[in-house]
Amino acid sequence: MQRPAVMRLPSSDSADSAATLFWGLALLLAAWVYLFGLDSPYAPSNGDELVYAHIARETAATGQWLPLASELVDTRNTKPPLLFWQAMVAGGWGERWSLAALRTPSLIYLALVTAAIALSLRALLGRWREGLLAATVFLAFLSTFRYGRTYLTSAPETFWFSLPLFALWWQRLRHGLPREPGEPAGTAPAAGNSPGWISHLLLGLALGAGLLYKSFALIVPAAAAWWLALLVSEPQGLDGRTVLRHTLRVGASAALALGVFALWFVLDPDPRAIWQEFIVAENAAKFRDPRSWWQAAIALDGSSIWSQLLAYGVNAGLLFTVVAGLAWLGLRQLPRWRRLQPLPAHTAILLAWVGVWLLVFLLPNQRSARYVIPAMPAVAMLLALHWRAIGRAWFVPALLLAAGALAVIARIATVGHELGLSSAGAYAAVLAATAAGAVTLAVGLWRAASTRAAAVLATLLVYAAFNLTVASLDGPVGRYGAQTLAAPAAGPIAVPNGFNGQFERFQFLLPGAHRYVPYETGARRHGDSAWDPAAELARLLATHAAVVWIQHDSAHPEPPCRPACRVLGERWILTSRHLPGEVRWDNVWYPQDWLYRREWLLAAP
């Protein structure tokens, strides 16, 4: 079999071996970060994760694949079925229902994407260093950490939408590419230098799988990025016939992918509900706004074009300025592009990938950085290919941001230990992670040669410290005891629901044949001065067999119903979705005032 041509880069063998070893170890650290705490309710995720866990559980309870089921009004069909089928199978149709089980398929998809990144750069350059670097950087992105391992994840569609582009990458390598600037025209083989019809149809099925995870509308960026990558990496130059050939083949793949998505309408016994809930409410709504398109586009808010242009940096998290440095490096190359000097094929593929995804999502009225997550593998690969060319000054702010994050995490862990929520060993583990981060930061700031690597390593240590900090609340102190779980309430249990679908978390905290009745905590969360917690709790206790109640003020260590109620169980939680003014400069150093709270399971006498 013909071996792919590789681009050989001159380097010192000892320096290359040391860098390869470092990035290999860093990748192992990243793997541990992603595996640790997979079952944690505090794993960073999309706020709607529990909504979709609820739909998956309710559908599994029916014993049928379709239609999707939900107790929430108009939320049965807000995502295609493959997302729910994945959870139903992983959770054993309710037999092994846990967050870890539901999240495991996401982690498998993420591992496949990460492996594709590393192997693709290894095949291009003939060495492991850049491949391991790109894979580690990809896992260091905040968007990957937040959306790459939890149940409501971007990993599946990232995998399926990346397949055509990775396939094109390997196909170009197999036929003597990438083409380097100045290479004589016609040196690459003319025959078989583009994917054929069979490859396009198979990859169309892959795109269809991606659509069945998220939305039919994503065929636009997925197919357009593939089509443009084909054109800009074409080794024999472009003419009308070549453009038509690529257009017809990608168009056929896109049509096949949409046909795969359409099977949902064919197989579901209630296609009208899919149309109303998914097509109209979920997708068409992204183009609706009380303002005109231009007003929404140029407004200074999170849905503006200006914010969307920062999407790749926002997804990078602490590495925001590093991505900005990559963009600045690209802008400096514009004069060369204006002279129509050809780009290497691999660079052209990556730029088409990131460019199309960004441009397409400038069009809807509703914009979000997470919409371009399927292009983050390309961002990581571009960073690795131009790692040394990005100035050190772009990496220093990443170190400073990591320093601030480590300081806050260490303070949170310290307060938790003072409250008795973590053991000495658990607290020591957090301090060890933050100390390792501090040493990394010091080395990165002191030694210019270490700054780039230190920025990535420090980011991973921030994630590690976070995981270790919340791990204590994943244990007994953050769970209801065995005695509480062994005494089910004889009737409905009222549970707090401060955000859409959050009541579903009690399926994991209080498993059993319970009927959970959510009650809204919106009055307090919106600062209603007339809200009376004692009266509200009394009302709930009078109408339910038990009530889950969250401490509303750290100054009140007992539930407001005492002594006229029984405490069946107690645990500690970390609060989220704080009101404006709850976290302020004068109390940010005192997380006991805004982060740590007790939660009680209460019953009437």
Side-chain angles (χ1 to χ4, degrees):
M1 183 177 67
Q2 182 183 11
R3 297 185 63 185
V6 297
M7 184 173 67
R8 299 291 180 183
L9 297 180
S11 65
S12 165
D13 289 341
S14 59
D16 182 67
S17 298
T20 301
L21 177 61
F22 172 84
W23 290 114
L25 294 174
L27 188 58
L28 290 176
L29 171 62
W32 176 83
V33 164
Y34 277 73
L35 287 168
F36 187 87
L38 190 62
D39 198 41
S40 173
Y42 300 109
S45 67
N46 187 305
D48 288 333
E49 180 181 27
L50 292 173
V51 175
Y52 296 102
H54 169 79
I55 298 172
R57 182 181 57 80
E58 288 289 315
T59 306
T62 68
Q64 303 292 326
W65 296 100
L66 289 170
L68 301 176
S70 174
E71 294 178 355
L72 299 170
V73 177
D74 296 328
T75 59
R76 284 191 305 133
N77 298 298
T78 52
K79 286 288 184 293
L82 208 53
L83 176 70
F84 307 109
W85 294 347
Q86 168 186 298
M88 290 157 58
V89 173
W93 291 78
E95 293 298 320
R96 50 177 184 273
W97 205 254
S98 68
L99 286 174
L102 269 60
R103 291 168 173 172
T104 296
S106 302
L107 211 56
I108 294 173
Y109 274 118
L110 182 63
L112 292 173
V113 174
T114 305
I117 292 171
L119 292 172
S120 295
L121 286 182
R122 168 66 177 83
L124 173 72
L125 303 174
R127 65 186 189 191
W128 281 107
R129 185 174 73 187
E130 284 77 12
L132 296 174
L133 163 60
T136 307
V137 168
F138 176 65
L139 295 179
F141 288 154
L142 180 61
S143 62
T144 312
F145 185 59
R146 183 178 179 186
Y147 300 111
R149 64 175 183 149
T150 48
Y151 167 49
L152 186 57
T153 173
S154 293
E157 65 263 25
T158 298
F159 171 78
W160 291 112
F161 295 151
S162 299
L163 270 184
L165 294 154
F166 280 122
L168 176 62
W169 179 287
W170 282 83
Q171 190 278 332
R172 296 300 194 219
L173 286 175
R174 189 175 299 114
H175 290 282
L177 298 178
R179 180 179 63 184
E180 292 301 314
E183 180 183 23
T187 57
N193 59 11
S194 293
W197 278 104
I198 293 178
S199 296
H200 276 79
L201 294 178
L202 291 175
L203 292 170
L205 294 175
L207 291 179
L211 301 184
L212 276 176
Y213 266 106
K214 187 59 69 75
S215 172
F216 70 97
L218 293 183
I219 192 60
V220 176
W226 183 19
W227 173 80
L228 184 59
L230 278 164
L231 296 183
V232 297
S233 66
E234 177 60 46
Q236 297 302 310
L238 294 178
D239 54 30
R241 184 176 179 180
T242 302
V243 173
L244 178 61
R245 181 177 71 248
H246 288 320
T247 302
L248 290 176
R249 289 177 176 178
V250 173
S253 299
L256 179 59
L258 290 172
V260 172
F261 180 85
L263 290 175
W264 183 16
F265 286 84
V266 175
L267 299 176
D268 196 293
D270 191 7
R272 179 175 295 182
I274 299 174
W275 177 265
Q276 291 296 329
E277 296 175 20
F278 185 76
I279 303 297
V280 177
E282 181 73 8
N283 285 268
K286 289 181 171 58
F287 288 88
R288 292 197 299 264
D289 194 284
R291 303 168 293 180
S292 69
W293 187 90
W294 281 108
Q295 286 178 317
I298 64 175
L300 299 178
D301 58 28
S303 289
S304 69
I305 283 180
W306 320 117
S307 64
Q308 191 67 20
L309 290 174
L310 301 175
Y312 290 124
V314 170
N315 286 335
L318 297 178
L319 300 176
F320 178 96
T321 56
V322 180
V323 173
L326 176 67
W328 176 247
L329 186 66
L331 291 174
R332 292 172 57 191
Q333 299 297 316
L334 284 178
R336 170 187 152 182
W337 298 349
R338 285 199 298 267
R339 293 194 297 269
L340 300 181
Q341 295 183 13
L343 288 170
H346 61 278
T347 301
I349 291 171
L350 295 176
L351 289 177
W353 191 345
V354 299
V356 168
W357 277 89
L358 180 62
L359 290 174
V360 166
F361 284 104
L362 293 177
L363 300 178
N365 284 73
Q366 182 178 327
R367 302 174 182 88
S368 172
R370 68 176 183 270
Y371 294 161
V372 301
I373 287 177
M376 293 307 290
V379 176
M381 296 168 76
L382 284 168
L383 283 170
L385 289 169
H386 301 88
W387 194 245
R388 304 303 303 182
I390 302 172
R392 177 179 182 258
W394 296 101
F395 290 83
V396 171
L399 292 174
L400 300 179
L401 289 172
L406 286 169
V408 171
I409 290 172
R411 176 59 181 172
I412 290 172
T414 299
V415 171
H417 181 62
E418 291 172 350
L419 292 173
L421 307 184
S422 62
S423 65
Y427 180 48
V430 177
L431 293 183
T434 54
V439 171
T440 300
L441 294 169
V443 172
L445 293 172
W446 182 259
R447 295 185 70 251
S450 302
T451 301
R452 293 168 176 82
V456 180
L457 182 58
T459 299
L460 293 176
L461 289 171
V462 167
Y463 298 158
F466 172 85
N467 284 347
L468 292 168
T469 298
V470 301
S472 297
L473 291 172
D474 294 332
V477 72
R479 303 278 182 175
Y480 289 110
Q483 184 176 0
T484 302
L485 299 178
I493 302 177
V495 296
N497 189 50
F499 184 67
N500 189 25
Q502 291 303 296
F503 65 89
E504 184 69 17
R505 67 186 183 274
F506 293 98
Q507 295 291 340
F508 307 103
L509 293 169
L510 291 170
H514 304 304
R515 183 165 71 88
Y516 298 108
V517 180
Y519 66 90
E520 296 300 325
T521 59
R524 182 189 68 83
R525 297 197 66 80
H526 287 87
D528 186 352
S529 59
W531 183 71
D532 185 350
E536 174 73 3
L537 179 54
R539 182 188 66 81
L540 291 169
L541 287 169
T543 54
H544 298 83
V547 177
V548 174
W549 187 261
I550 298 175
Q551 180 185 22
H552 68 280
D553 190 335
S554 60
H556 298 83
E558 291 285 331
C561 61
R562 296 283 283 174
C565 62
R566 293 178 294 142
V567 178
L568 304 178
E570 178 180 338
R571 72 187 189 104
W572 282 85
I573 65 170
L574 298 175
T575 60
S576 61
R577 298 188 176 275
H578 298 95
L579 283 173
E582 280 190 301
V583 184
R584 306 177 305 274
W585 286 113
D586 62 338
N587 72 353
V588 69
W589 202 241
Y590 304 98
Q592 64 269 33
D593 293 339
W594 50 268
L595 183 63
Y596 290 107
R597 288 288 185 270
R598 290 177 172 89
E599 181 183 276
W600 299 285
L601 179 63
L602 306 171

